């Protein structure tokens, strides 16, 4: 574990078991994508894995998350703020050792069997085709989609946030976590906001920054998701916070 706090911003590298602290003055204040690229370059390790925070974590915003694998996040509970409180911008890891397998032949056979099952599995195919956002229409039909801070069961314009529409109009390509055979991740675009290649959004993002706030412009939600990624903000916590603020304002309990 990491205890205490550095006197000035630092980042930690762990390469083949050797840990070292580095000055982070040149990456402090950078967005999560720039930070990951710069630290890989600094290490001379293109395959290094980096967990880092954005501006939100640096400023100890309680909704900050920890970014990894480009645009993935360990979010909720303010994990990014914890790193920020320690002046720890990032942890970069690279190992060249091999992980021994007890029964490599059996492992390979089971892996191939699992991959074959995924190819014929309808939910897996749906995830690949439409991402987690493909659940949005079904969620809406089942009244499981958060609408107007969870106060509406259904609202027709919400279907404009559909993962099907995203796939047809704004999808650049599928992305996958390490060794995943489904590739439900999305690389999208939102021409209205000059976003050419950005991550997501996932179903949770469409709900938190879209239907929960009664925003049904898919391009606007894609852009909002990208801004959250850049700053290292947890989209689910942010959407819930904004939804509560809107509700309190409409009820006269919150003044601007």
């Amino acid at each position: 574990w990491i205890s205490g706090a550095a006197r000035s911003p630092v980042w930690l590298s762990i390469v083949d078991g050797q840990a070292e602290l580095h000055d982070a003055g040149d990456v402090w204040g950078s967005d999560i994508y720039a930070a990951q690229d710069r630290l890989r370059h600094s290490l001379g390790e293109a395959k290094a894995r980096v967990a880092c925070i954005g501006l939100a974590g640096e400023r100890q915003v309680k909704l900050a998350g920890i970014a990894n694998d480009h645009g993935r996040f360990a979010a909720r509970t303010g994990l990014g703020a914890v790193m920020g409180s320690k002046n720890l911008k990032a942890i970069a890891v690279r190992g060249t050792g091999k992980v021994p397998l007890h029964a490599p032949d059996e492992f390979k056979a089971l892996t191939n069997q699992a991959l074959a099952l995924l190819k014929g599995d309808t939910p897996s195919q749906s995830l690949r085709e439409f991402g987690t956002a493909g659940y949005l229409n079904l969620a809406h039909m089942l009244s499981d989609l958060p609408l107007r801070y969870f106060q509406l069961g259904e609202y027709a314009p919400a279907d404009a946030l559909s993962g099907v529409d995203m796939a047809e109009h704004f999808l650049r390509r599928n992305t996958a976590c390490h060794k995943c055979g489904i590739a439900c991740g999305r690389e999208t675009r939102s021409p209205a906001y000059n976003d050419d290649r950005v991550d997501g959004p996932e179903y949770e993002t469409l709900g938190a920054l879209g239907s929960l706030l009664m925003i049904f412009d898919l391009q606007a939600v894609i852009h909002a998701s990208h801004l959250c990624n850049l700053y290292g903000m947890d989209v689910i916590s942010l959407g819930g916070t904004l939804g509560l603020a809107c509700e309190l304002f409409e009820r006269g309990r919150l003044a601007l």
Side-chain angles (χ1 to χ4, degrees):
W1 66 86
I2 297 172
S3 61
R7 295 179 180 177
S8 58
V10 297
W11 63 278
L12 171 66
S13 67
I14 305 174
V15 180
D16 284 327
Q18 298 297 313
E20 184 178 356
L21 284 174
H22 310 263
D23 177 71
D26 60 335
V27 290
W28 196 257
S30 64
D31 66 64
I32 61 116
Y33 298 110
Q36 292 177 70
D37 287 342
R38 290 179 190 175
L39 297 192
R40 289 192 187 98
H41 180 74
S42 296
L43 284 177
E45 295 281 357
K47 294 184 178 181
R49 297 290 184 174
V50 180
C52 68
I53 57 174
L55 198 61
E58 293 176 12
R59 296 187 177 181
Q60 300 179 40
V61 175
K62 291 180 175 61
L63 309 182
I66 300 173
N68 62 90
D69 279 351
H70 196 60
R72 299 290 185 175
F73 276 84
R76 237 70 17 85
T77 73
L79 293 171
V82 176
M83 283 184 67
S85 72
K86 297 177 179 296
N87 272 329
L88 180 62
K89 176 66 176 181
I91 302 172
V93 179
R94 174 66 174 147
T96 56
K98 300 294 183 181
V99 177
L101 294 174
H102 172 68
D105 292 338
E106 289 86 345
F107 176 80
K108 184 177 181 179
L110 288 172
T111 299
N112 290 336
Q113 181 182 348
L115 291 173
L117 287 172
L118 289 177
K119 288 182 180 179
D121 180 60
T122 299
S124 297
Q125 292 174 351
S126 176
L127 278 171
R128 180 177 181 83
E129 190 73 19
F130 307 116
T132 58
Y135 175 61
L136 187 135
N137 295 103
L138 178 59
H140 191 199
M141 183 182 73
L142 297 174
S143 296
D144 188 39
L145 180 68
L147 283 159
R148 196 174 183 264
Y149 201 58
F150 298 96
Q151 294 178 95
L152 291 179
E154 60 181 82
Y155 188 68
D159 285 327
L161 299 172
S162 167
V164 177
D165 287 357
M166 190 192 309
E168 291 180 351
H169 302 294
F170 304 114
L171 181 66
R172 283 290 192 182
R173 66 184 181 97
N174 288 35
T175 60
C177 295
H178 182 63
K179 296 294 185 181
C180 177
I182 297 177
C184 72
R186 313 280 90 178
E187 181 179 270
T188 56
R189 63 190 183 93
S190 55
Y193 295 88
N194 298 315
D195 294 328
D196 186 49
R197 294 181 182 276
V198 299
D199 286 311
E202 302 284 349
Y203 164 76
E204 293 87 352
T205 306
L206 295 170
L209 300 181
S211 62
L212 189 77
L213 307 178
M214 299 297 280
I215 296 173
F216 306 112
D217 180 341
L218 186 50
Q219 292 197 65
V221 178
I222 290 173
H223 182 62
S225 172
H226 179 54
L227 291 178
C228 286
N229 283 359
L230 287 174
Y231 298 134
M233 293 279 284
D234 171 21
V235 295
I236 296 177
S237 297
L238 179 62
T241 302
L242 292 175
L244 175 61
C246 291
E247 184 62 26
L248 290 175
F249 176 77
E250 289 184 359
R251 295 187 183 196
R253 300 295 182 90
L254 180 67
L256 296 180

